[in-house]
Amino acid sequence: MSLHRQIGSATLTLLRGDITEQDTEAIVNAANSGLLGGGGVDGAIHRAGGPRILEECRKIREQQGECPAGESVITGGGNLKARFVIHTVGPVWHGGGEGEDDLLGSAYRNSLLLASARRIRSIAFPSISTGAYGFPIDRASKIAFDTVSGFLKNDSPLEEVRLVVYSQEDYEAYAFLF
Ligand code: ADP
């Protein structure tokens, strides 16, 4: 199940699937500030990618401390098909009055910037913040779609951005925007 849309010179794809199985050059992890693993996407990526990813995350933490919401760091992909994992921290939903929208947009934008700086051509995102962090899917999907679309309208080395969702319900929320 997938949908495609051309934006600038890139393709934006919506796909129902598992983020850990994506063959894009980079996949994005819905990490937490501690960068030392967690549940959901984070747990799945570390399980599938093996211990090297956590080792690199530990080093980053030693060097720069925790990763605040809205920011991103990059490691290798360990045993994953993807060569890189971009770990980004989405905001925890507190009702929408604490800058959650801007922080979620920043999480997507900073991940795209990091990928572009590394000349990465393809990247897959999970639906950041809409699991354990409780961000409403309708609002989050619009921010994801608008932020990625806006980014791709400007010059970037990215040729493909994949939005990978797990559930049918989430797929429908995103599909509405395509
Ligand atoms: P957050 O803590 O940022 O909310 P979660 O990992 O809890 O992140 O969930 C984010 C979204 O990713 C949820 O919609 C969840 O259903 C989905 N998800 C969980 N595991 C996977 C996976 N392996 N591949 C793709 N999406 C997943």
Side-chain angles (χ1 to χ4, degrees), residues 17-20 30-31 39-42 44 90-91 126-135 137 164-167 170:
D18 186 336
I19 192 77
T20 65
V41 168
D42 204 359
S127 182
I128 296 162
S129 281
T130 65
Y133 281 5
F135 209 117
I137 187 70
V164 181
V165 293
Y166 224 30
S167 71
D170 290 354

Side-chain angles (χ1 to χ4, degrees), residues 1 3 6 41-42 49 84 100 102 112 115-116 120 147 165 171 173:
M1 198 180 251
L3 286 172
Q6 197 67 28
V41 168
D42 204 359
F84 301 101
E100 292 96 327
D102 288 347
L112 293 162
S116 295
I120 286 168
T147 306
V165 293
Y171 183 87

Side-chain angles (χ1 to χ4, degrees), residues 6-96:
Q6 197 67 28
I7 299 175
S9 56
T11 305
L12 179 61
T13 301
L14 170 64
L15 186 75
R16 208 180 148 195
D18 186 336
I19 192 77
T20 65
E21 290 171 6
Q22 302 307 309
D23 59 2
T24 41
E25 249 183 285
I27 65 169
V28 176
N29 182 14
N32 54 50
S33 293
L35 294 176
L36 299 181
V41 168
D42 204 359
I45 286 177
H46 285 292
R47 262 195 309 280
R52 257 183 303 161
I53 302 176
L54 196 59
E55 208 35 63
E56 282 189 61
C57 284
R58 234 181 236 120
K59 284 198 185 117
I60 293 170
R61 246 203 83 144
E62 278 164 22
Q63 284 162 8
Q64 61 189 58
E66 294 205 333
C67 182
E71 295 189 13
S72 310
V73 301
I74 187 167
T75 67
N79 303 328
L80 297 167
K81 287 182 198 158
R83 276 185 63 205
F84 301 101
V85 178
I86 294 178
H87 307 260
T88 194
V89 182
V92 176
W93 179 256
H94 290 295

Side-chain angles (χ1 to χ4, degrees), residues 130-149:
T130 65
Y133 281 5
F135 209 117
I137 187 70
D138 289 340
R139 190 154 162 168
S141 55
K142 188 165 182 345
I143 292 167
F145 184 86
D146 289 349
T147 306
V148 173
S149 305

